[in-house]
């Protein structure tokens, strides 16, 4: 079946640095990808919708200048956490839908990327 | 209006028993209701989903019951096994297969199956 891959799976960085997380759809093209954040023992909160070739749409309360999203191709979206601080430590998960001819429109999730900011 | 309320927060079921998780929603525009299973340190995986034109959907040991008038839906896991121990999230979205539908997740239920 369709697979969404994230990299890195975990990252530790110092406060003030920037971190880039990649999300790839491995065997289908995704014009739209979604980025979620999940704090320990909590639900997934949608951060933004990433649109190929155009600007991302951010949810209310999410700082677009802090969480930069780039969807440069039909199989790759990146999330950059700029000037990361300890409160940005979280589990970041991307997802994408397969609307190809064989796809059901199911939303596939990546394995997640755990960010720890020291 | 966009909330999906999920209960219980945690659930312990004996092996072989039935696990039942409930969700309720307010927005009648929701038209897709999936359930996701998440293991620690992993992304969620789709378990089963239902659309509001049917009242029940069964896939193996997993069944969704949907009550449109009550705006509630539930997940039943029959013959629960230790490998089912995970966190389960219900979700809902508007605009099925339009391409931009966004999922609203419930708060999650941590299920533990004991031998």
């Amino acid at each position: 079946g369709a697979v969404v891959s994230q990299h890195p799976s975990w990252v530790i960085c110092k406060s003030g640095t920037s971190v880039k997380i990649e999300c790839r759809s491995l065997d289908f093209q995704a014009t739209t990808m979604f980025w979620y954040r999940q704090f320990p023992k909590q639900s997934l909160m949608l951060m933004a919708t990433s649109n190929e070739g155009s600007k991302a749409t951010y949810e209310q309360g999410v700082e677009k200048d802090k969480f930069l999203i780039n969807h440069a191709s039909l199989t790759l979206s990146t999330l950059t956490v700029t000037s990361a601080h300890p409160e940005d430590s979280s589990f970041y998960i991307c997802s994408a839908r397969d609307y190809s001819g064989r796809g059901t429109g199911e939303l596939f999730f990546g394995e997640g990327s755990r960010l720890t900011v020291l | 209006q966009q909330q999906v309320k999920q209960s219980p927060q945690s659930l312990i079921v004996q092996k072989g028993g039935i696990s039942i998780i409930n969700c309720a929603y307010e927005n009648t525009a929701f038209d897709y209701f999936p359930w996701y299973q998440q293991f620690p340190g992993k992304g969620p995986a789709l378990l089963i989903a239902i659309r509001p034109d049917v009242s029940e959907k069964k896939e193996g040991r997993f069944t969704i019951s949907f009550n449109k008038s009550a705006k509630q839906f539930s997940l039943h896991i029959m013959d629960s096994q230790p490998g089912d121990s995970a966190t389960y999230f219900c979700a809902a979205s508007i605009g099925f297969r339009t391409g931009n539908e966004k999922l609203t997740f419930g708060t999650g239920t941590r299920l533990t199956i004991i031998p």
Side-chain angles (χ1 to χ4, degrees), chain A residues 32-43:
Chain A
T32 303
M33 291 184 176
F34 302 91
W35 286 96
Y36 292 83
R37 180 166 55 184
Q38 185 179 32
F39 291 108
K41 297 185 180 181
Q42 293 190 23
S43 188

Side-chain angles (χ1 to χ4, degrees), chain A residues 58-78:
Chain A
Y58 290 82
E59 295 300 302
Q60 193 171 11
V62 178
E63 300 175 61
K64 61 181 181 181
D65 294 331
K66 181 167 188 63
F67 299 100
L68 300 180
I69 292 173
N70 184 283
H71 197 147
S73 77
L74 287 171
T75 60
L76 174 64
S77 175
T78 61

Side-chain angles (χ1 to χ4, degrees), chain A residues 2-107:
Chain A
V3 177
V4 174
S5 174
Q6 274 185 249
H7 178 81
S9 55
W10 58 270
V11 57
I12 301 173
C13 69
K14 291 183 179 180
S15 185
T17 61
S18 294
V19 174
K20 180 185 285 187
I21 301 170
E22 293 185 346
C23 177
R24 294 180 184 273
S25 55
L26 295 186
D27 57 357
F28 66 96
Q29 294 182 333
T31 55
T32 303
M33 291 184 176
F34 302 91
W35 286 96
Y36 292 83
R37 180 166 55 184
Q38 185 179 32
F39 291 108
K41 297 185 180 181
Q42 293 190 23
S43 188
L44 286 80
M45 298 301 296
L46 180 65
M47 299 175 65
T49 302
S50 172
N51 304 297
E52 188 269 334
S54 64
K55 290 182 179 180
T57 305
Y58 290 82
E59 295 300 302
Q60 193 171 11
V62 178
E63 300 175 61
K64 61 181 181 181
D65 294 331
K66 181 167 188 63
F67 299 100
L68 300 180
I69 292 173
N70 184 283
H71 197 147
S73 77
L74 287 171
T75 60
L76 174 64
S77 175
T78 61
L79 168 68
T80 301
V81 183
T82 62
S83 186
H85 291 285
E87 58 266 29
D88 299 323
S89 299
S90 187
F91 194 50
Y92 292 88
I93 310 172
C94 71
S95 65
R97 291 187 188 278
D98 180 5
Y99 282 118
S100 65
R102 60 184 171 84
T104 62
E106 176 183 339
L107 188 66

Side-chain angles (χ1 to χ4, degrees), chain B residues 15-94:
Chain B
K15 179 182 175 183
I18 303 173
S19 304
I20 301 174
I21 305 171
N22 302 297
C23 282
Y25 63 96
E26 288 295 323
N27 192 341
T28 55
F30 284 137
D31 59 3
Y32 178 65
F33 302 88
W35 283 90
Y36 288 87
Q37 179 188 57
Q38 185 180 31
F39 292 105
K42 301 293 184 182
L46 179 67
L47 202 57
I48 188 173
I50 199 168
R51 300 213 56 215
D53 51 346
V54 296
S55 60
E56 185 175 281
K57 183 174 182 181
K58 184 177 181 179
E59 290 183 2
R61 296 186 294 112
F62 303 95
T63 300
I64 297 180
S65 295
F66 186 81
N67 187 328
K68 190 173 181 178
S69 60
K71 291 184 283 187
Q72 296 175 345
F73 58 110
S74 60
L75 174 69
H76 291 62
I77 305 175
M78 312 299 286
D79 187 27
S80 300
Q81 299 297 312
D84 297 329
S85 297
T87 299
Y88 292 81
F89 292 96
C90 62
S93 66
I94 301 170

